[in-house]
Amino acid sequence: MHDNVPIALEVTDVTKRFVKSEGLRWPWKRDGNSRKPVVAVDRVSFQVRRGEIFGILGPNGSGKSTLVRCIATLLLPDEGTIAVFGHDVLREEMAVKRLINRVSVEASFFKKLTPMENLLYGARLYGLEVRAARERILEILARLGLKREDAFRPMEEMSRGMQQKVAIARAFLTQPILLLLDEPTTGLDPRSKREVQTFVVELRNVHDATILLTTHDMQEADALCDRVAVLDEGRIVALDTPTGLKARVARANGHEVTLEDVFMELTGKRLREGEQREG
Ligand SMILES: Nc1ncnc2c1ncn2[C@@H]1O[C@H](COP(=O)(O)OP(=O)(O)OP(=O)(O)O)[C@@H](O)[C@H]1O
Ligand SMILES: [Mg+2]
């Protein structure tokens, strides 16, 4: 990327802690010091340039969603700053909200309403004209492989993957400038997964969107992302192009290094016994 491309997202020294709730504990074990904070995001800094597809990889609980939620102004960082196209997420929350859109598996919908009703509701929040929105909704849902009749069935009758497609459609409806995709393809069948991936690339290529996505799919990260940050226990342990990351890991057993090898090496996780590869 050239230096004269604007910075879409700038995360500087962001830290987010949570106080673990005590949960169900035995009363006699309760003591004053048990509420230990968890550092979910630990002094994270990076920049994403306009038009980039930037990936975040990391084990479960490494802080990916927390980071995304901080950028989406849903959580306040304890330390550090985040700017979206130069707008500070705390001081200029409304400006930032207009520039971003977030998709996550825990998408909230009116479950008794249909995808069309839910999406029209979302479109109106963004000030889209109803007739144009309706057409665009049908077009996007079709592109994501959802049948036309499914657009008019209650959400609660749909499978998880179908609901996720509706969540993705909602983000794509408003032509966001910075799209935050938290595991957009987790739980989708292979065809749907590819449809979403194609759509993501098209949004960047045709609509000039900048995309930050988290994923557990190493092939997806490799194929889609210009650069990838690997998080482990809240910290960035590596940040590079997929090719650059793979170059850091020595070839083992003569096979081509994959991002999965990089993940294993950098996050210090070992394949559990019984899952170990042969040879
Ligand atoms: N609302 C919360 N209250 C307390 N702790 C939280 C909260 N949200 C996240 N955490 C903790 O912060 C850490 C990071 O969680 P986060 O959801 O960001 O991980 P993740 O990388 O998205 O994981 P996954 O791959 O499973 O989605 C975990 O230790 C988690 O328990
Ligand atoms: Mg997560």
Side-chain angles (χ1 to χ4, degrees), residues 64-65 182-183 214:
K64 303 179 297 298
S65 297
D182 194 1
E183 296 191 36
T214 75

Side-chain angles (χ1 to χ4, degrees), residues 217-243:
D217 181 331
M218 300 295 127
Q219 277 178 318
E220 174 171 285
D222 201 350
L224 246 53
C225 298
D226 300 305
R227 287 188 304 147
V228 169
V230 182
L231 271 188
D232 193 26
E233 298 185 351
R235 282 185 293 265
I236 292 186
V237 293
L239 198 170
D240 208 336
T241 59
T243 311

Side-chain angles (χ1 to χ4, degrees), residues 18-19 38 40 58-66 183 216:
F18 290 110
V19 178
V38 178
N60 295 128
S62 57
K64 303 179 297 298
S65 297
T66 304
E183 296 191 36
H216 288 296

Side-chain angles (χ1 to χ4, degrees), residues 18-150:
F18 290 110
V19 178
K20 244 189 204 160
S21 69
E22 288 175 77
L24 294 173
R25 301 190 69 226
W26 303 110
W28 57 87
K29 284 193 179 169
R30 195 168 287 162
D31 55 51
N33 303 324
S34 60
R35 292 165 71 84
K36 230 178 82 192
V38 178
V39 187
V41 176
D42 194 358
R43 283 162 291 160
V44 164
S45 300
F46 63 92
Q47 294 180 342
V48 180
R49 295 213 176 253
R50 180 174 188 157
E52 254 193 300
I53 301 182
F54 188 90
I56 300 180
L57 304 183
N60 295 128
S62 57
K64 303 179 297 298
S65 297
T66 304
L67 181 58
V68 169
R69 299 179 75 211
C70 287
I71 298 166
T73 75
L74 298 169
L75 282 177
L76 292 179
D78 294 306
E79 284 155 37
T81 57
I82 302 173
V84 175
F85 289 100
H87 299 282
D88 184 87
V89 294
L90 292 186
R91 281 181 282 116
E92 301 168 81
E93 189 184 332
M94 282 322 290
V96 169
K97 279 206 155 97
R98 276 193 288 273
L99 294 168
I100 58 174
N101 222 323
R102 165 177 163 269
V103 178
S104 81
V105 272
E106 84 254 21
S108 59
F109 288 111
F110 299 108
K111 300 277 174 172
K112 301 273 177 211
L113 300 185
T114 67
M116 180 56 88
E117 289 163 334
N118 271 288
L119 293 175
L120 279 176
Y121 176 82
R124 288 181 62 177
L125 287 183
Y126 279 89
L128 295 186
E129 199 252 317
V130 173
R131 192 183 310 193
R134 219 183 120 85
E135 265 171 43
R136 187 153 163 78
I137 288 166
L138 288 173
E139 177 198 312
I140 296 174
L141 288 177
R143 283 284 314 276
L144 293 172
L146 218 65
K147 289 198 203 82
R148 195 186 163 92
E149 67 233 42
D150 289 332

Side-chain angles (χ1 to χ4, degrees), residues 168-208:
I168 289 163
R170 181 161 62 186
F172 291 167
L173 199 57
T174 53
Q175 308 242 341
I177 297 177
L178 174 63
L179 195 56
L180 306 172
L181 303 173
D182 194 1
E183 296 191 36
T185 62
T186 299
L188 296 183
D189 68 59
R191 174 168 292 115
S192 303
K193 197 172 213 183
R194 203 172 286 179
E195 281 159 353
V196 170
Q197 291 168 347
T198 308
F199 210 175
V200 166
V201 172
E202 185 184 311
L203 272 176
R204 188 271 299 276
N205 292 351
V206 182
H207 301 287
D208 200 22

